[in-house]
Amino acid sequence: MAYSSFTQRQFSRSSTSGSTIIEQTMSSSSPGHARRLFDGMPPKKKRKSPPPVSVADRISALPDSLLHHVLSFLPAQASVRTCVLARRWRHLWRSTTGLRIVGLDDEVELDVEDLRKFVDHLLILRERTDLDSVEIKFDEFCEEDQPYVKTWVRFALMCKVRTLTLHVGASEYLDLDDLPLVSRHLRTLDLDGVGLQATFLDFGTCPVLQDLKMSHCNINACRISSHSLKHLTIYCCNSDFDCRIHVSTPCLFSLELSHFSGRTPILENMALLESAHVYLSDYCQDVCLNYDSGVFCGANNNACKNCVPTEDDCSREYVLLGGISNAKHLKLLPGSKTFIFARDLKQCPTFTKLKTLLLNEYWCEGPDLDPLACILKNSPVLEKLTLQLFSKGPTHKVEMKGTYSSVEGPAAISEHLHMVEVKCNVVDEKILKVLKFLTAFNIRFGFV
């Protein structure tokens, strides 16, 4: 993959001087010159006392491949500094199996401008060896910094990187709108604080991508698609689109969808799904403005603006439950005012493989606890049910365990249900109502 014209111009101006700097540094006997291998690198702090001298340098005796791996865990600046340790270390940093473009101090904010000159020289002087991992992390950036960061990402892809991490801690998103992701080697992608467009989120050009994590990202696309993806995390992301994002990942094993802001994404069929954790807060756009004690205004003449179905809603039976109905393990924790699950339950799917289920108080609202009854009746092989009621944990003041008794009557729920847990902070009227409801299904409780 060729560098952009922007990069070529800059690199051509600096390559000659950069090579001269390296040659002069390597031939010099003064360690002071070598410590400042690249312009922009902070000088190394002086030791308070000299390091102990060992009889044998056992680390330097290790094979190059192992030293390359060890250096990959260091920030790039620290990795380069090892060139002054001994003749054996002079060029090891050029061929590390990983590249960490990060700050030397996690407690100090890092700007792209602080990294640009050093990283540009680093990319010129590195060997073009394959990279197992590349990690890019910084806090602040300006508009003119974006081409530099995109060049670093392109370099990583050119070196056949397998794991790519890009974390931006700024108050605004770093847009990757003109950076199509094309790689036959990329397996893991971890993004934080970036703006994503449709061209980036079509992973058909990444045929071996298996693990995708998006945190605090702005998703401006109608579709996220991958036929190879096995693990997907969407955490604290948002979308400004009026339409729902379609998530098409038919080979997915695990899913986490948490704190999404905007229209809840549509989950298409995930036949191989093992586990899913879905947490929808009351800050998402699918919140009933007229919610009252488990009752939503629904799609009628008096419906609030949020409850009016979108075009996607009218053309599909489910938004969430249909896509995750093949899972073996589910955690479903919606906010009390979100109506998506209640709407999906009107045509409740059958959870034919579901073994363990964690629910919160949302499923126990309403006059007759209909949401809880519906999902229990449609989970024929359920083995463990946990109700986390009005208590977020991880510790709970009250925990009760129950077991299902099949000898007391015909089974309305799974005969395989051998454990029911109810966790709360206090046993009040709402909790007693849930216990009474479960008792009607032949479940008997005791306090832990």
Side-chain angles (χ1 to χ4, degrees):
M1 183 179 294
Y3 285 117
S4 64
S5 57
F6 162 83
T7 309
Q8 291 174 347
R9 290 197 301 272
Q10 180 174 354
F11 281 13
S12 63
R13 288 198 299 268
S14 59
S15 59
T16 303
S17 59
S19 300
T20 303
I21 291 172
I22 278 293
E23 290 169 1
Q24 290 175 349
T25 302
M26 294 309 175
S27 60
S28 173
S29 60
S30 171
H33 291 291
R35 286 195 195 101
R36 292 177 288 277
L37 184 59
F38 297 107
D39 292 340
M41 283 183 59
K44 186 177 179 181
K45 294 182 180 180
K46 295 182 179 179
R47 292 181 180 271
K48 294 182 179 180
S49 59
V53 179
S54 60
V55 177
D57 185 358
R58 296 182 180 180
I59 295 180
S60 293
L62 295 173
D64 284 359
S65 59
L66 187 54
L67 292 177
H68 289 152
H69 180 69
V70 171
L71 290 178
S72 298
F73 292 95
L74 296 176
Q77 303 94 315
S79 177
V80 169
R81 282 175 173 165
T82 62
C83 69
V84 302
L85 294 176
R87 182 180 297 275
R88 168 75 193 286
W89 292 81
R90 184 171 294 179
H91 300 292
L92 286 174
W93 63 269
R94 295 174 181 258
S95 304
T96 57
T97 57
L99 186 60
R100 298 188 65 224
I101 303 174
V102 299
L104 289 169
D105 188 346
D106 292 337
E107 297 181 0
V108 178
E109 286 195 355
L110 184 67
D111 297 348
V112 173
E113 188 176 3
D114 299 332
L115 291 169
R116 281 174 14 184
K117 194 170 186 178
F118 165 71
V119 176
D120 284 350
H121 281 82
L122 175 68
L123 301 191
I124 293 171
L125 299 170
R126 260 192 61 90
E127 299 291 340
R128 293 299 184 265
T129 53
D130 294 351
L131 285 166
D132 288 334
S133 63
V134 171
E135 181 180 357
I136 304 171
K137 290 185 178 181
F138 55 86
D139 296 295
E140 297 298 331
F141 70 94
C142 61
E143 186 69 26
E144 65 181 19
D145 292 330
Q146 296 200 41
Y148 289 87
V149 178
K150 293 176 183 179
T151 296
W152 304 345
V153 173
R154 290 190 182 98
F155 178 88
L157 297 175
M158 183 181 68
C159 292
K160 302 178 182 180
V161 65
R162 296 180 181 180
T163 299
L164 176 60
T165 300
L166 175 58
H167 285 192
V168 182
S171 57
E172 57 182 311
Y173 298 107
L174 176 76
D175 287 326
L176 299 180
D177 51 346
D178 58 347
L179 183 64
L181 202 64
V182 181
S183 174
R184 299 177 62 183
H185 308 275
L186 186 64
R187 292 181 176 273
T188 301
L189 180 61
D190 184 353
L191 303 172
D192 193 320
V194 301
L196 303 171
Q197 308 292 332
T199 53
F200 194 92
L201 292 171
D202 181 2
F203 296 107
T205 52
C206 297
V208 298
L209 182 66
Q210 296 185 359
D211 194 338
L212 172 62
K213 183 177 181 180
M214 296 180 288
S215 305
H216 309 99
C217 292
N218 184 35
I219 303 175
N220 290 315
C222 294
R223 194 172 190 84
I224 300 172
S225 61
S226 171
H227 288 280
S228 61
L229 204 62
K230 294 183 178 180
H231 309 282
L232 173 62
T233 299
I234 303 175
Y235 176 75
C236 281
C237 294
N238 72 281
S239 174
D240 300 326
F241 276 27
D242 290 332
C243 64
R244 299 188 187 279
I245 300 170
H246 287 242
V247 179
S248 178
T249 51
C251 296
L252 204 67
F253 285 178
S254 68
L255 168 71
E256 180 180 350
L257 175 62
S258 181
H259 295 84
F260 190 85
S261 177
R263 291 283 187 180
T264 305
I266 290 177
L267 305 181
E268 298 185 0
N269 184 42
M270 302 173 182
L272 303 179
L273 193 66
E274 291 281 333
S275 63
H277 175 194
V278 181
Y279 175 82
L280 299 179
S281 71
D282 285 335
Y283 295 102
C284 77
Q285 199 168 332
D286 294 318
V287 170
C288 178
L289 302 179
N290 299 327
Y291 171 82
D292 183 21
S293 300
V295 178
F296 304 95
C297 60
N300 51 50
N301 294 332
N302 297 320
C304 67
K305 63 178 182 179
N306 287 353
C307 282
V308 176
T310 66
E311 185 177 345
D312 281 331
D313 297 338
C314 295
S315 62
R316 302 183 64 86
E317 288 184 327
Y318 311 107
V319 174
L320 292 175
L321 290 182
I324 61 177
S325 60
N326 288 301
K328 294 181 180 179
H329 311 282
L330 284 179
K331 295 181 181 180
L332 306 178
L333 307 172
S336 60
K337 298 180 181 180
T338 56
F339 56 75
I340 286 298
F341 283 114
R343 182 181 290 175
D344 280 2
L345 286 173
K346 292 179 180 179
Q347 295 90 23
C348 185
T350 300
F351 300 89
T352 56
K353 304 175 184 177
L354 187 61
K355 303 287 187 180
T356 66
L357 177 63
L358 171 63
L359 304 175
N360 64 354
E361 62 273 6
Y362 173 93
W363 303 87
C364 302
E365 294 281 0
D368 301 316
L369 282 73
D370 290 338
L372 179 59
C374 182
I375 199 167
L376 287 180
K377 291 177 181 178
N378 287 278
S379 304
V381 296
L382 185 65
E383 297 176 357
K384 181 181 178 182
L385 170 66
T386 301
L387 298 178
Q388 190 171 290
L389 305 178
F390 309 100
S391 176
K392 294 184 178 180
T395 59
H396 310 272
K397 293 181 179 179
V398 180
E399 294 190 18
M400 293 168 280
K401 289 189 178 182
T403 56
Y404 175 73
S405 176
S406 60
V407 299
E408 298 187 16
I413 58 176
S414 170
E415 295 182 347
H416 306 277
L417 187 61
H418 60 78
M419 181 179 292
V420 178
E421 295 179 329
V422 177
K423 301 179 180 182
C424 58
N425 285 329
V426 62
V427 180
D428 56 13
E429 279 190 25
K430 293 182 178 180
I431 303 300
L432 290 173
K433 182 179 179 180
V434 174
L435 296 177
K436 183 178 179 180
F437 169 84
L438 293 173
T439 301
F441 285 98
N442 301 330
I443 298 172
R444 300 293 177 259
F445 286 94
F447 288 87
V448 178

